[in-house]
């Protein structure tokens, strides 16, 4: 069994981290920092969801129906090795 070199912070470590954050940013800036972090997280989640939705819609569309699919290197290779084209 291996012992991890870095473990998750426990109770006292979180208090030290919180104290350092308060000293660095100041108590007045913490609500603004939390608000902007939450907004950035919401934007990130929305973008990843839209990317996943786009990937799902592309996976449902066969490659032959995609515009420009005949110009891909895989299509050119398939055309060269197709016995019907000889």
């Amino acid at each position: 069994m291996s012992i991890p070199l870095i473990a998750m912070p426990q109770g006292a470590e979180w208090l030290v981290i919180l104290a350092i954050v308060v000293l660095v940013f100041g108590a007045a800036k913490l609500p603004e920092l939390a608000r902007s972090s939450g907004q950035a997280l919401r934007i990130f989640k929305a973008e990843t969801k839209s990317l996943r939705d786009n990937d799902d819609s592309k996976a449902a569309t066969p490659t032959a129906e995609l515009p420009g699919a005949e110009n891909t290197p895989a299509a050119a290779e398939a055309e060269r090795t197709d016995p019907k084209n000889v």
Side-chain angles (χ1 to χ4, degrees):
M1 177 190 283
S2 66
I3 299 173
L5 296 176
I6 300 175
M8 287 296 297
Q10 298 299 316
E13 289 90 0
W14 281 114
L15 292 176
V16 171
I17 291 170
L18 180 64
I20 291 172
V21 168
V22 168
L23 287 174
V24 169
F25 293 106
K29 289 278 190 180
L30 287 180
E32 182 183 330
L33 181 66
R35 193 174 307 117
S36 63
S37 298
Q39 184 180 14
L41 186 60
R42 277 192 301 274
I43 292 170
F44 178 75
K45 284 183 179 180
E47 291 297 323
T48 55
K49 183 180 182 299
S50 68
L51 286 174
R52 244 184 276 127
D53 291 344
N54 287 342
D55 286 345
D56 291 342
S57 66
K58 284 182 183 178
T61 305
T63 307
E65 294 180 12
L66 290 175
E70 61 277 349
N71 296 330
T72 62
E77 180 66 28
E79 187 175 319
R80 266 184 284 167
T81 58
D82 189 10
K84 293 182 229 173
N85 290 336
V86 176

Coordinates of all heavy atoms in Angstrom, one line a residue:
M1 N 0.8 -1.2 0.0 CA 0.0 0.0 0.0 C 0.9 1.2 0.0 O 1.8 1.3 0.8 CB -0.9 0.0 1.2 CG -1.8 1.2 1.3 SD -2.6 1.4 2.9 CE -4.0 0.2 2.6
S2 N 0.6 2.2 -0.9 CA 1.4 3.4 -0.9 C 0.7 4.5 -0.1 O -0.5 4.6 0.0 CB 1.6 3.8 -2.4 OG 0.3 4.2 -2.9
I3 N 1.5 5.3 0.5 CA 1.0 6.4 1.3 C 1.2 7.7 0.4 O 2.2 8.0 -0.1 CB 1.9 6.6 2.5 CG1 1.7 5.3 3.4 CG2 1.4 7.8 3.3 CD1 2.6 5.3 4.6
P4 N 0.1 8.4 0.2 CA 0.1 9.6 -0.6 C 1.0 10.7 0.0 O 1.0 10.9 1.2 CB -1.3 10.1 -0.7 CG -2.0 9.5 0.4 CD -1.3 8.2 0.7
L5 N 1.8 11.4 -0.8 CA 2.7 12.4 -0.3 C 1.9 13.7 0.1 O 2.3 14.4 1.1 CB 3.7 12.8 -1.3 CG 4.7 11.7 -1.7 CD1 5.6 12.1 -2.8 CD2 5.5 11.2 -0.5
I6 N 0.8 14.0 -0.6 CA 0.0 15.2 -0.3 C -1.4 14.7 0.0 O -2.0 14.1 -0.9 CB 0.1 16.2 -1.4 CG1 1.5 16.6 -1.7 CG2 -0.8 17.4 -1.1 CD1 1.6 17.5 -2.9
A7 N -1.9 15.0 1.2 CA -3.2 14.6 1.5 C -4.1 15.8 1.5 O -3.7 16.9 1.5 CB -3.2 13.9 2.9
M8 N -5.4 15.5 1.5 CA -6.4 16.6 1.6 C -6.3 17.3 2.9 O -6.0 16.7 4.0 CB -7.8 16.1 1.4 CG -8.2 15.7 0.0 SD -8.1 17.0 -1.1 CE -9.4 18.1 -0.5
P9 N -6.4 18.7 3.0 CA -6.3 19.4 4.3 C -7.4 19.0 5.2 O -8.6 18.7 4.8 CB -6.5 20.8 3.9 CG -6.3 20.9 2.4 CD -6.6 19.6 1.8
Q10 N -7.1 18.9 6.5 CA -8.1 18.5 7.5 C -8.5 19.8 8.2 O -8.2 20.9 7.8 CB -7.5 17.5 8.5 CG -7.1 16.2 7.8 CD -8.3 15.5 7.2 OE1 -9.4 15.4 7.8 NE2 -8.2 15.0 6.0
G11 N -9.1 19.7 9.4 CA -9.7 20.9 10.1 C -8.8 22.1 10.3 O -9.1 23.2 9.9
A12 N -7.7 21.9 10.9 CA -6.8 23.0 11.3 C -6.2 23.6 10.0 O -6.0 24.8 9.9 CB -5.7 22.5 12.2
E13 N -5.9 22.7 9.0 CA -5.3 23.3 7.8 C -6.2 24.2 7.1 O -5.8 25.2 6.5 CB -4.8 22.1 6.9 CG -3.6 21.4 7.4 CD -4.0 20.2 8.2 OE1 -5.2 19.9 8.5 OE2 -3.1 19.5 8.7
W14 N -7.5 23.8 7.1 CA -8.5 24.7 6.4 C -8.6 26.1 7.1 O -8.8 27.1 6.4 CB -9.9 24.1 6.4 CG -10.1 23.0 5.4 CD1 -10.3 21.7 5.5 CD2 -10.1 23.2 4.0 NE1 -10.3 21.0 4.3 CE2 -10.2 22.0 3.3 CE3 -9.9 24.3 3.1 CZ2 -10.2 21.8 2.0 CZ3 -9.9 24.2 1.8 CH2 -10.1 22.9 1.2
L15 N -8.5 26.1 8.4 CA -8.5 27.4 9.1 C -7.3 28.2 8.8 O -7.4 29.4 8.6 CB -8.5 27.1 10.7 CG -9.8 26.5 11.2 CD1 -9.7 26.2 12.7 CD2 -11.0 27.4 10.9
V16 N -6.1 27.6 8.6 CA -4.9 28.4 8.2 C -5.1 28.9 6.8 O -4.8 30.0 6.5 CB -3.7 27.5 8.3 CG1 -2.4 28.1 7.7 CG2 -3.4 27.1 9.8
I17 N -5.6 28.0 5.9 CA -5.8 28.5 4.5 C -6.8 29.6 4.5 O -6.6 30.6 3.8 CB -6.3 27.3 3.7 CG1 -5.2 26.3 3.5 CG2 -6.8 27.8 2.3 CD1 -5.6 25.0 2.9
L18 N -7.9 29.5 5.2 CA -8.9 30.6 5.3 C -8.3 31.9 5.8 O -8.5 33.0 5.3 CB -10.1 30.2 6.1 CG -11.2 31.2 6.3 CD1 -11.8 31.5 4.9 CD2 -12.2 30.8 7.3
A19 N -7.4 31.8 6.9 CA -6.8 33.0 7.4 C -5.9 33.6 6.4 O -5.8 34.9 6.2 CB -6.0 32.6 8.7
I20 N -5.1 32.8 5.6 CA -4.3 33.4 4.6 C -5.1 34.1 3.5 O -4.7 35.1 3.0 CB -3.4 32.3 4.0 CG1 -2.4 31.8 5.1 CG2 -2.6 32.7 2.8 CD1 -1.6 30.6 4.7
V21 N -6.2 33.5 3.1 CA -7.0 34.1 2.1 C -7.6 35.4 2.5 O -7.6 36.4 1.8 CB -8.2 33.1 1.7 CG1 -9.2 33.8 0.8 CG2 -7.6 31.9 0.9
V22 N -8.0 35.5 3.8 CA -8.5 36.7 4.3 C -7.4 37.8 4.4 O -7.7 38.9 4.0 CB -9.1 36.5 5.7 CG1 -9.4 37.8 6.4 CG2 -10.4 35.7 5.6
L23 N -6.2 37.4 4.8 CA -5.1 38.3 4.8 C -4.7 38.8 3.4 O -4.5 40.0 3.2 CB -3.9 37.7 5.5 CG -4.0 37.5 7.0 CD1 -2.8 36.8 7.5 CD2 -4.1 38.9 7.7
V24 N -4.8 38.0 2.4 CA -4.4 38.3 1.1 C -5.4 39.2 0.4 O -5.1 40.3 -0.2 CB -4.0 37.1 0.2 CG1 -3.9 37.4 -1.3 CG2 -2.8 36.4 0.7
F25 N -6.7 38.8 0.4 CA -7.7 39.5 -0.3 C -8.5 40.5 0.5 O -9.1 41.4 0.0 CB -8.7 38.5 -0.9 CG -8.1 37.6 -1.9 CD1 -7.8 36.3 -1.7 CD2 -7.9 38.1 -3.2 CE1 -7.3 35.5 -2.6 CE2 -7.3 37.3 -4.2 CZ -7.0 36.0 -3.9
G26 N -8.5 40.4 1.8 CA -9.2 41.3 2.7 C -10.6 40.8 2.8 O -11.2 40.2 1.9
A27 N -11.3 41.1 4.0 CA -12.6 40.6 4.2 C -13.6 41.3 3.3 O -14.6 40.6 3.0 CB -13.0 40.9 5.7
A28 N -13.4 42.5 2.9 CA -14.4 43.2 2.0 C -14.4 42.6 0.6 O -15.4 42.6 0.0 CB -14.0 44.6 2.0
K29 N -13.3 42.0 0.2 CA -13.2 41.5 -1.2 C -13.7 40.0 -1.3 O -14.0 39.6 -2.4 CB -11.8 41.5 -1.7 CG -11.2 42.8 -2.0 CD -11.7 43.2 -3.4 CE -11.0 44.5 -3.8 NZ -11.4 44.9 -5.1
L30 N -13.9 39.3 -0.2 CA -14.3 37.9 -0.2 C -15.6 37.7 -0.9 O -15.8 36.8 -1.7 CB -14.2 37.3 1.2 CG -12.8 37.0 1.7 CD1 -12.8 36.4 3.1 CD2 -12.0 36.2 0.7
P31 N -16.7 38.4 -0.5 CA -18.0 38.2 -1.2 C -17.9 38.4 -2.7 O -18.5 37.7 -3.5 CB -18.9 39.2 -0.5 CG -18.3 39.5 0.8 CD -16.8 39.4 0.5
E32 N -17.2 39.4 -3.1 CA -17.0 39.7 -4.6 C -16.2 38.6 -5.2 O -16.6 38.1 -6.3 CB -16.3 41.0 -4.8 CG -16.1 41.4 -6.2 CD -15.3 42.7 -6.3 OE1 -15.4 43.6 -5.4 OE2 -14.6 42.8 -7.4
L33 N -15.2 38.1 -4.6 CA -14.4 37.0 -5.1 C -15.3 35.7 -5.2 O -15.2 35.0 -6.2 CB -13.2 36.7 -4.2 CG -12.3 35.6 -4.6 CD1 -11.6 35.9 -5.9 CD2 -11.3 35.4 -3.5
A34 N -16.1 35.4 -4.2 CA -17.0 34.3 -4.3 C -18.0 34.4 -5.4 O -18.3 33.4 -6.1 CB -17.7 34.1 -2.9
R35 N -18.6 35.6 -5.5 CA -19.6 35.8 -6.6 C -19.0 35.6 -8.0 O -19.6 35.0 -8.8 CB -20.1 37.3 -6.4 CG -21.4 37.5 -7.2 CD -22.0 38.9 -6.9 NE -22.1 39.2 -5.5 CZ -21.5 40.1 -4.8 NH1 -20.6 40.9 -5.3 NH2 -21.7 40.2 -3.5
S36 N -17.8 36.2 -8.2 CA -17.2 36.0 -9.5 C -16.8 34.6 -9.8 O -16.8 34.1 -10.9 CB -16.0 37.0 -9.6 OG -15.0 36.7 -8.7
S37 N -16.3 33.9 -8.7 CA -16.0 32.5 -8.9 C -17.2 31.7 -9.2 O -17.2 30.8 -10.1 CB -15.4 31.9 -7.6 OG -14.2 32.6 -7.3
G38 N -18.4 31.9 -8.6 CA -19.6 31.3 -8.9 C -20.1 31.5 -10.3 O -20.5 30.6 -11.0
Q39 N -19.9 32.8 -10.8 CA -20.3 33.1 -12.1 C -19.4 32.4 -13.1 O -19.9 31.9 -14.2 CB -20.3 34.6 -12.3 CG -20.7 35.1 -13.7 CD -20.7 36.6 -13.8 OE1 -20.0 37.3 -13.0 NE2 -21.3 37.1 -14.8
A40 N -18.2 32.4 -12.9 CA -17.2 31.7 -13.8 C -17.6 30.2 -13.9 O -17.5 29.6 -14.9 CB -15.8 31.9 -13.3
L41 N -17.9 29.6 -12.7 CA -18.3 28.2 -12.7 C -19.5 27.9 -13.5 O -19.6 26.9 -14.2 CB -18.4 27.7 -11.3 CG -18.7 26.2 -11.1 CD1 -17.5 25.4 -11.6 CD2 -18.8 25.9 -9.6
R42 N -20.5 28.8 -13.4 CA -21.8 28.7 -14.1 C -21.5 28.8 -15.6 O -22.0 28.0 -16.4 CB -22.8 29.7 -13.7 CG -23.6 29.4 -12.5 CD -24.8 30.3 -12.3 NE -24.4 31.7 -12.2 CZ -24.0 32.3 -11.1 NH1 -24.0 31.6 -9.9 NH2 -23.7 33.6 -11.0
I43 N -20.7 29.7 -16.0 CA -20.3 29.8 -17.5 C -19.6 28.6 -18.0 O -19.9 28.1 -19.0 CB -19.5 31.1 -17.7 CG1 -20.3 32.4 -17.4 CG2 -18.9 31.2 -19.1 CD1 -19.5 33.6 -17.4
F44 N -18.7 28.1 -17.2 CA -17.9 26.9 -17.5 C -18.8 25.7 -17.7 O -18.7 25.0 -18.7 CB -16.8 26.6 -16.5 CG -16.0 25.4 -16.8 CD1 -15.1 25.4 -17.7 CD2 -16.3 24.2 -16.0 CE1 -14.3 24.3 -18.0 CE2 -15.5 23.1 -16.3 CZ -14.6 23.1 -17.3
K45 N -19.8 25.5 -16.8 CA -20.7 24.4 -16.9 C -21.6 24.6 -18.1 O -21.9 23.6 -18.8 CB -21.6 24.3 -15.6 CG -20.9 23.8 -14.4 CD -21.8 23.6 -13.3 CE -21.2 23.0 -12.1 NZ -22.1 22.9 -10.9
A46 N -22.1 25.8 -18.4 CA -22.9 26.0 -19.6 C -22.1 25.7 -20.9 O -22.7 25.0 -21.8 CB -23.4 27.4 -19.6
E47 N -20.9 26.1 -20.9 CA -20.1 25.8 -22.1 C -19.8 24.3 -22.3 O -19.9 23.8 -23.4 CB -18.8 26.6 -22.1 CG -19.0 28.1 -22.2 CD -19.6 28.5 -23.5 OE1 -19.2 27.9 -24.6 OE2 -20.4 29.4 -23.6
T48 N -19.5 23.6 -21.2 CA -19.2 22.2 -21.3 C -20.5 21.5 -21.7 O -20.4 20.5 -22.5 CB -18.6 21.6 -20.1 OG1 -19.4 21.9 -19.0 CG2 -17.2 22.2 -19.8
K49 N -21.6 21.9 -21.2 CA -22.9 21.3 -21.6 C -23.2 21.5 -23.1 O -23.6 20.5 -23.8 CB -24.0 21.8 -20.7 CG -25.3 21.1 -21.0 CD -26.4 21.7 -20.1 CE -27.8 21.1 -20.3 NZ -28.3 21.2 -21.7
S50 N -22.9 22.7 -23.6 CA -23.2 22.9 -25.0 C -22.2 22.1 -25.9 O -22.6 21.6 -26.9 CB -23.1 24.4 -25.3 OG -21.8 24.9 -25.2
L51 N -21.0 22.0 -25.4 CA -20.0 21.2 -26.2 C -20.4 19.7 -26.2 O -20.4 19.0 -27.2 CB -18.6 21.3 -25.6 CG -17.9 22.6 -25.8 CD1 -16.5 22.6 -25.1 CD2 -17.6 22.8 -27.3
R52 N -20.9 19.2 -25.0 CA -21.4 17.8 -25.0 C -22.6 17.6 -25.9 O -22.7 16.6 -26.6 CB -21.8 17.5 -23.5 CG -20.9 16.4 -23.0 CD -21.3 15.9 -21.6 NE -20.7 16.9 -20.6 CZ -21.4 17.5 -19.7 NH1 -22.7 17.4 -19.6 NH2 -20.8 18.3 -18.9
D53 N -23.5 18.6 -25.9 CA -24.7 18.5 -26.7 C -24.3 18.5 -28.2 O -24.9 17.8 -29.0 CB -25.7 19.7 -26.5 CG -26.3 19.6 -25.1 OD1 -26.3 18.5 -24.5 OD2 -26.9 20.6 -24.6
N54 N -23.3 19.4 -28.6 CA -22.8 19.4 -29.9 C -22.2 18.1 -30.3 O -22.4 17.6 -31.4 CB -21.8 20.5 -30.1 CG -22.5 21.9 -30.2 OD1 -23.7 22.0 -30.4 ND2 -21.7 22.9 -30.0
D55 N -21.4 17.5 -29.4 CA -20.8 16.2 -29.7 C -21.9 15.1 -29.9 O -21.7 14.2 -30.8 CB -19.9 15.8 -28.6 CG -18.6 16.6 -28.6 OD1 -18.3 17.2 -29.7 OD2 -17.8 16.5 -27.6
D56 N -22.9 15.1 -29.1 CA -24.0 14.2 -29.2 C -24.7 14.3 -30.5 O -25.0 13.3 -31.2 CB -25.0 14.3 -28.1 CG -24.4 13.8 -26.7 OD1 -23.4 13.1 -26.7 OD2 -25.0 14.2 -25.7
S57 N -25.0 15.5 -31.0 CA -25.7 15.7 -32.2 C -24.8 15.3 -33.4 O -25.3 14.8 -34.4 CB -26.1 17.2 -32.4 OG -25.0 18.0 -32.5
K58 N -23.5 15.5 -33.3 CA -22.6 15.1 -34.4 C -22.4 13.6 -34.4 O -22.3 13.0 -35.5 CB -21.2 15.7 -34.2 CG -21.1 17.2 -34.5 CD -19.7 17.7 -34.4 CE -19.6 19.2 -34.6 NZ -18.3 19.7 -34.4
A59 N -22.5 12.9 -33.3 CA -22.4 11.5 -33.3 C -23.6 10.9 -33.9 O -23.5 9.8 -34.4 CB -22.2 11.0 -31.8
A60 N -24.7 11.5 -33.8 CA -26.0 11.0 -34.3 C -26.0 11.1 -35.8 O -26.7 10.4 -36.5 CB -27.2 11.7 -33.7
T61 N -25.2 12.1 -36.4 CA -25.2 12.3 -37.8 C -24.2 11.4 -38.5 O -23.0 11.5 -38.1 CB -24.9 13.8 -38.1 OG1 -25.8 14.6 -37.4 CG2 -25.0 14.1 -39.6
P62 N -24.5 10.6 -39.5 CA -23.5 9.8 -40.2 C -22.5 10.7 -40.9 O -22.8 11.8 -41.3 CB -24.3 9.0 -41.2 CG -25.7 9.0 -40.7 CD -25.9 10.3 -39.9
T63 N -21.3 10.2 -41.0 CA -20.2 11.0 -41.6 C -20.5 11.4 -43.0 O -20.1 12.4 -43.5 CB -18.9 10.2 -41.5 OG1 -18.7 9.8 -40.1 CG2 -17.7 11.0 -41.9
A64 N -21.1 10.5 -43.7 CA -21.4 10.8 -45.2 C -22.3 12.0 -45.3 O -22.2 12.6 -46.4 CB -22.0 9.5 -45.8
E65 N -23.1 12.3 -44.4 CA -24.1 13.4 -44.5 C -23.5 14.7 -44.1 O -24.1 15.7 -44.3 CB -25.3 13.1 -43.7 CG -26.1 11.9 -44.2 CD -27.3 11.6 -43.4 OE1 -27.7 12.5 -42.6 OE2 -28.0 10.6 -43.6
L66 N -22.3 14.7 -43.4 CA -21.7 15.9 -43.0 C -21.1 16.7 -44.2 O -20.5 16.1 -45.1 CB -20.6 15.7 -42.0 CG -21.0 15.1 -40.6 CD1 -19.8 14.8 -39.8 CD2 -21.9 16.2 -39.9
P67 N -21.3 18.0 -44.2 CA -20.7 18.7 -45.3 C -19.2 18.7 -45.3 O -18.6 18.8 -44.3 CB -21.2 20.2 -45.1 CG -21.6 20.2 -43.7 CD -22.0 18.8 -43.3
G68 N -18.6 18.4 -46.4 CA -17.2 18.4 -46.5 C -16.6 17.1 -46.1 O -15.4 16.9 -46.0
A69 N -17.4 16.0 -45.8 CA -16.9 14.8 -45.4 C -16.1 14.1 -46.5 O -15.2 13.3 -46.2 CB -18.0 13.9 -44.9
E70 N -16.4 14.4 -47.7 CA -15.7 13.7 -48.8 C -14.2 14.3 -49.0 O -13.4 13.7 -49.7 CB -16.4 13.9 -50.2 CG -16.6 15.3 -50.6 CD -17.8 16.0 -49.9 OE1 -18.6 15.3 -49.3 OE2 -17.9 17.2 -50.1
N71 N -13.9 15.4 -48.3 CA -12.6 16.0 -48.5 C -11.6 15.6 -47.3 O -10.6 16.1 -47.2 CB -12.7 17.5 -48.5 CG -13.4 17.9 -49.8 OD1 -13.4 17.3 -50.8 ND2 -14.1 19.1 -49.7
T72 N -12.1 14.7 -46.4 CA -11.2 14.3 -45.3 C -10.2 13.3 -45.8 O -10.4 12.6 -46.7 CB -12.1 13.7 -44.2 OG1 -12.7 12.5 -44.7 CG2 -13.1 14.7 -43.7
P73 N -9.1 13.2 -45.1 CA -8.0 12.2 -45.4 C -8.6 10.8 -45.4 O -8.2 9.9 -46.2 CB -6.9 12.4 -44.4 CG -7.1 13.8 -43.9 CD -8.6 14.1 -44.0
A74 N -9.4 10.5 -44.4 CA -10.0 9.1 -44.3 C -10.8 8.8 -45.5 O -10.8 7.7 -46.1 CB -10.8 9.0 -43.1
A75 N -11.6 9.8 -46.0 CA -12.4 9.5 -47.2 C -11.6 9.3 -48.4 O -11.9 8.5 -49.3 CB -13.4 10.7 -47.4
A76 N -10.5 10.1 -48.6 CA -9.6 10.0 -49.7 C -8.9 8.6 -49.7 O -8.8 7.9 -50.7 CB -8.5 11.1 -49.7
E77 N -8.5 8.1 -48.5 CA -7.9 6.8 -48.4 C -8.9 5.7 -48.7 O -8.6 4.8 -49.4 CB -7.4 6.6 -47.0 CG -6.7 5.3 -46.7 CD -5.4 5.1 -47.5 OE1 -4.8 6.1 -47.8 OE2 -5.1 3.9 -47.8
A78 N -10.1 5.8 -48.3 CA -11.2 4.9 -48.6 C -11.4 4.8 -50.1 O -11.7 3.8 -50.7 CB -12.4 5.2 -47.8
E79 N -11.4 6.0 -50.7 CA -11.6 6.1 -52.2 C -10.5 5.4 -52.9 O -10.7 4.7 -53.9 CB -11.8 7.5 -52.6 CG -12.2 7.7 -54.0 CD -12.5 9.1 -54.4 OE1 -13.0 9.9 -53.5 OE2 -12.1 9.6 -55.5
R80 N -9.3 5.6 -52.5 CA -8.1 4.9 -53.2 C -8.1 3.4 -53.0 O -7.7 2.7 -53.9 CB -6.8 5.5 -52.6 CG -6.3 6.7 -53.4 CD -5.0 7.1 -52.8 NE -5.4 7.8 -51.6 CZ -4.6 8.1 -50.6 NH1 -3.3 7.8 -50.6 NH2 -5.0 8.8 -49.6
T81 N -8.6 2.9 -51.9 CA -8.5 1.5 -51.6 C -9.8 0.8 -52.0 O -9.9 -0.4 -51.9 CB -8.2 1.2 -50.1 OG1 -9.2 1.8 -49.3 CG2 -6.8 1.7 -49.8
D82 N -10.8 1.5 -52.4 CA -12.1 0.9 -52.8 C -11.9 0.1 -54.1 O -11.5 0.7 -55.1 CB -13.1 2.0 -53.0 CG -14.5 1.5 -53.1 OD1 -14.7 0.3 -52.9 OD2 -15.4 2.3 -53.4
P83 N -12.3 -1.2 -54.1 CA -12.1 -1.9 -55.4 C -13.0 -1.5 -56.5 O -12.8 -1.8 -57.6 CB -12.4 -3.4 -54.9 CG -13.0 -3.3 -53.6 CD -12.7 -1.9 -53.0
K84 N -14.1 -0.8 -56.2 CA -15.0 -0.3 -57.2 C -14.4 0.8 -58.1 O -14.8 1.0 -59.2 CB -16.3 0.2 -56.6 CG -17.1 -0.8 -55.9 CD -18.4 -0.2 -55.4 CE -18.6 -0.6 -54.0 NZ -19.7 0.1 -53.4
N85 N -13.4 1.5 -57.6 CA -12.8 2.6 -58.3 C -11.6 2.2 -59.2 O -11.0 3.0 -59.8 CB -12.2 3.6 -57.3 CG -13.4 4.4 -56.6 OD1 -14.5 4.4 -57.1 ND2 -13.1 4.9 -55.4
V86 N -11.4 0.9 -59.3 CA -10.2 0.4 -60.1 C -10.6 0.4 -61.5 O -11.6 0.3 -62.1 CB -9.8 -1.0 -59.6 CG1 -8.7 -1.6 -60.5 CG2 -9.3 -0.9 -58.2

